[in-house]
Amino acid sequence: MTGLLYKELRQNRLILLGAVLIPVMLAFVTVISVAGDAHSLQNALNVLSGNIGTVTRLFMMLLGMILLALLTSIIFSMDESKKWAYFTASHPQGYRGQLYMKYVVLFMVLGLYFVSMYYMDALLQMLVYQVTGAELTGFTNLYVIVFFLQIFVNAWNIPFMVRFGVKNSAYARCIALLVLVVILLVYLLFGPLPGGWDSYVRMVTDFLDQLLKGELNGIISVIFGAFPLAAVGLYLLSYRISCKLFMKGAAEYVK
């Protein structure tokens, strides 16, 4: 098992490094993107402390999730080979051991990304406060949700990648996501919105504000409180499912 762990860490060392560096890059790009016509660092940080800065930080967080998804898919694409799959099946630890280590390394990647993202945001908040005296809206609660959301999403994705391959499963997920986006856009454009578009936008912004400040209550707070446990539970179940699908997927590898 130690050999498999060393193999995964060695094979995915750049991905682990990327998980740490992506938040660093995004924090730098965030400051640069709000600079615009600002002629000094202080002016740029003043812009960052306003609503434009909040939207920019949210956009950069979304971009980071996309980049992280690309990185994590590489973890499984590296071993898409019939020869390696059959060799792994004959290994004393078997393919179950290999899948277990891939799940462990993926969890490490997500954890490193979360820690790096948290500290870079804290550094950005400190920089803005020291230069401008303004306090940025803390994203800690949102980052925690994003961390477990990544676990939840990967728990769904991995069995598809194991069974159909990374490329084919990516096509299927893109099509499903495109359909959902189209349905959402059609509803937002033509569907009945509670109180109209302005009311809907206000409802979403109020929800995000309560989420960032940790002021959710009622059934929503219960759902968000139970979500981390549900995500971890699904992640463990995902490993079991992937083990059952591994050999079927290996038989269809092109190489």
Side-chain angles (χ1 to χ4, degrees), residues 79 81-91 94-95 98 246-253 255:
D79 292 329
S81 167
K82 285 185 178 180
K83 292 182 179 179
W84 176 253
Y86 292 142
F87 169 77
T88 303
S90 64
H91 188 273
Y95 59 85
Q98 173 176 285
F246 181 82
M247 293 309 298
K248 292 181 179 180
E252 297 181 8
Y253 288 158
K255 296 183 293 181

Coordinates of all heavy atoms in Angstrom, one line a residue, residues 79 81-91 94-95 98 246-253 255:
D79 N -3.8 6.8 -15.7 CA -3.7 5.3 -15.7 C -4.8 4.6 -16.5 O -5.1 3.5 -16.3 CB -3.9 4.8 -14.2 CG -2.7 5.3 -13.4 OD1 -1.6 5.4 -13.9 OD2 -2.9 5.5 -12.2
S81 N -5.2 2.7 -19.1 CA -4.5 1.8 -19.9 C -4.9 0.3 -19.6 O -4.9 0.0 -18.4 CB -3.0 1.9 -19.8 OG -2.3 0.9 -20.4
K82 N -5.2 -0.5 -20.6 CA -5.6 -1.9 -20.3 C -4.4 -2.6 -19.6 O -4.6 -3.4 -18.6 CB -5.9 -2.6 -21.6 CG -7.3 -2.2 -22.1 CD -7.6 -3.0 -23.4 CE -9.0 -2.6 -23.9 NZ -9.4 -3.4 -25.1
K83 N -3.2 -2.4 -20.1 CA -2.1 -3.1 -19.5 C -1.9 -2.8 -18.0 O -1.7 -3.7 -17.2 CB -0.8 -2.8 -20.3 CG -0.8 -3.4 -21.7 CD 0.6 -3.1 -22.4 CE 0.6 -3.6 -23.8 NZ 1.9 -3.3 -24.5
W84 N -2.0 -1.5 -17.7 CA -1.8 -1.1 -16.3 C -3.0 -1.6 -15.5 O -2.8 -2.0 -14.4 CB -1.7 0.4 -16.2 CG -1.6 0.9 -14.8 CD1 -2.6 1.5 -14.1 CD2 -0.5 0.7 -13.9 NE1 -2.2 1.8 -12.8 CE2 -0.9 1.3 -12.7 CE3 0.7 0.1 -14.0 CZ2 -0.1 1.3 -11.5 CZ3 1.5 0.1 -12.9 CH2 1.1 0.7 -11.7
A85 N -4.2 -1.5 -16.0 CA -5.4 -2.0 -15.3 C -5.2 -3.5 -14.9 O -5.5 -3.9 -13.8 CB -6.6 -1.7 -16.1
Y86 N -4.8 -4.3 -15.9 CA -4.7 -5.7 -15.7 C -3.6 -6.0 -14.7 O -3.6 -6.9 -13.9 CB -4.6 -6.5 -17.0 CG -5.9 -6.4 -17.8 CD1 -5.8 -6.3 -19.2 CD2 -7.1 -6.5 -17.2 CE1 -7.0 -6.2 -20.0 CE2 -8.3 -6.4 -18.0 CZ -8.2 -6.3 -19.3 OH -9.3 -6.2 -20.1
F87 N -2.5 -5.2 -14.9 CA -1.4 -5.4 -13.9 C -1.8 -5.1 -12.5 O -1.5 -5.8 -11.5 CB -0.2 -4.5 -14.3 CG 0.9 -4.4 -13.3 CD1 1.8 -5.5 -13.1 CD2 1.0 -3.3 -12.5 CE1 2.8 -5.4 -12.2 CE2 2.0 -3.3 -11.5 CZ 2.9 -4.3 -11.4
T88 N -2.6 -4.0 -12.4 CA -3.0 -3.6 -11.1 C -3.9 -4.6 -10.5 O -3.9 -4.9 -9.2 CB -3.8 -2.2 -11.2 OG1 -3.0 -1.2 -11.8 CG2 -4.3 -1.7 -9.8
A89 N -4.8 -5.2 -11.3 CA -5.7 -6.3 -10.8 C -4.9 -7.5 -10.3 O -5.4 -8.2 -9.3 CB -6.6 -6.7 -11.9
S90 N -3.7 -7.7 -10.8 CA -2.9 -8.9 -10.3 C -2.0 -8.5 -9.1 O -1.3 -9.3 -8.6 CB -2.0 -9.4 -11.5 OG -1.1 -8.4 -11.9
H91 N -2.0 -7.2 -8.8 CA -1.1 -6.7 -7.7 C -1.7 -7.2 -6.4 O -2.9 -7.4 -6.2 CB -1.1 -5.2 -7.7 CG -0.2 -4.6 -6.8 ND1 -0.5 -4.3 -5.5 CD2 1.1 -4.2 -6.9 CE1 0.5 -3.8 -4.8 NE2 1.5 -3.7 -5.7
G94 N -4.3 -5.2 -5.4 CA -5.4 -5.2 -6.3 C -5.8 -3.8 -6.8 O -5.3 -2.8 -6.3
Y95 N -6.8 -3.7 -7.6 CA -7.3 -2.4 -8.1 C -8.0 -1.7 -7.0 O -8.1 -0.4 -7.1 CB -8.2 -2.6 -9.3 CG -9.4 -3.5 -9.1 CD1 -10.6 -2.9 -8.5 CD2 -9.4 -4.8 -9.4 CE1 -11.7 -3.7 -8.3 CE2 -10.6 -5.6 -9.2 CZ -11.7 -5.0 -8.6 OH -12.8 -5.8 -8.4
Q98 N -5.4 0.6 -5.5 CA -5.1 1.7 -6.4 C -6.2 2.8 -6.3 O -5.9 4.0 -6.2 CB -4.9 1.3 -7.8 CG -4.7 2.5 -8.8 CD -4.5 2.1 -10.2 OE1 -3.3 1.7 -10.5 NE2 -5.4 2.2 -11.1
F246 N -14.6 -0.9 -11.9 CA -13.3 -0.8 -12.4 C -13.0 -1.7 -13.6 O -12.5 -1.3 -14.7 CB -12.2 -1.0 -11.3 CG -10.8 -0.8 -11.8 CD1 -10.3 0.5 -11.9 CD2 -10.0 -1.9 -12.1 CE1 -9.0 0.7 -12.3 CE2 -8.7 -1.7 -12.6 CZ -8.2 -0.4 -12.7
M247 N -13.2 -3.0 -13.4 CA -12.8 -4.0 -14.5 C -13.6 -3.8 -15.7 O -13.2 -4.0 -16.8 CB -12.9 -5.4 -13.9 CG -11.9 -5.7 -12.8 SD -10.2 -5.3 -13.3 CE -9.9 -6.4 -14.7
K248 N -14.9 -3.4 -15.6 CA -15.7 -3.2 -16.7 C -15.2 -2.0 -17.5 O -15.2 -2.0 -18.8 CB -17.2 -2.9 -16.3 CG -17.9 -4.2 -15.8 CD -19.3 -3.9 -15.4 CE -20.0 -5.1 -14.8 NZ -21.4 -4.8 -14.5
G249 N -14.8 -1.0 -16.8 CA -14.2 0.2 -17.5 C -12.9 -0.1 -18.1 O -12.6 0.3 -19.2
A250 N -12.1 -0.9 -17.4 CA -10.7 -1.2 -18.0 C -10.8 -2.0 -19.3 O -10.0 -1.9 -20.2 CB -10.0 -2.0 -16.9
A251 N -11.9 -2.8 -19.4 CA -12.0 -3.6 -20.6 C -12.3 -2.8 -21.9 O -12.1 -3.2 -23.0 CB -13.2 -4.6 -20.4
E252 N -12.8 -1.5 -21.6 CA -13.1 -0.6 -22.7 C -12.1 0.4 -23.0 O -12.3 1.3 -23.8 CB -14.5 0.0 -22.5 CG -15.6 -1.0 -22.4 CD -17.0 -0.3 -22.1 OE1 -17.0 0.9 -22.2 OE2 -17.9 -1.1 -21.9
Y253 N -11.0 0.4 -22.3 CA -9.9 1.4 -22.5 C -9.4 1.2 -23.9 O -9.2 0.1 -24.4 CB -8.8 1.2 -21.5 CG -9.1 1.7 -20.1 CD1 -8.4 1.2 -19.0 CD2 -10.1 2.6 -19.9 CE1 -8.7 1.7 -17.7 CE2 -10.4 3.0 -18.6 CZ -9.7 2.6 -17.5 OH -10.0 3.0 -16.3
K255 N -6.3 2.2 -25.1 CA -4.8 1.8 -25.0 C -4.7 0.4 -24.4 O -5.4 0.1 -23.4 CB -4.0 2.8 -24.3 CG -4.0 4.2 -25.0 CD -3.1 5.2 -24.3 CE -3.7 5.5 -22.9 NZ -2.8 6.5 -22.2

